[in-house]
Amino acid sequence: DRITINRGQTLRFINDDGELLHHAYLKSPDFQFDSGDQKPGSTLEVAFPVAGQFTVLCAIHPKMKLLVSVK
């Protein structure tokens, strides 16, 4: 539910959740990304270019959150 990384480091989002779609996104004034619908078995790599505290959400499953602290 949380991870700390260094600025410029890449996180890999893997949908290994059976047959479910996921849709990871992050919207902040400093940085944003949107995976679109992630099919089962798909992988998305996202580099975090700025320091800060970010919350990655799933547009399909509102309870899914990842807090990313970037140093």
Side-chain angles (χ1 to χ4, degrees):
D1 69 340
R2 64 184 65 227
I3 190 168
T4 300
I5 61 173
N6 293 317
R7 184 172 49 90
Q9 197 168 356
T10 298
L11 288 183
R12 183 178 298 140
F13 296 88
I14 303 169
N15 182 354
D16 62 357
D17 199 6
E19 297 298 316
L20 296 176
L21 284 176
H22 288 288
H23 187 132
Y25 72 95
L26 182 159
K27 290 184 182 179
S28 82
D30 299 321
F31 176 60
Q32 59 185 337
F33 76 88
D34 189 324
S35 71
D37 287 348
Q38 247 188 310
K39 294 181 181 180
S42 66
T43 300
L44 171 71
E45 292 190 357
V46 178
F48 284 72
V50 295
Q53 303 291 323
F54 303 99
T55 302
V56 178
L57 301 168
C58 178
I60 298 171
H61 306 100
K63 292 183 180 183
M64 295 182 78
K65 295 180 185 178
L66 174 64
L67 302 176
V68 182
S69 176
V70 182
K71 295 183 188 181

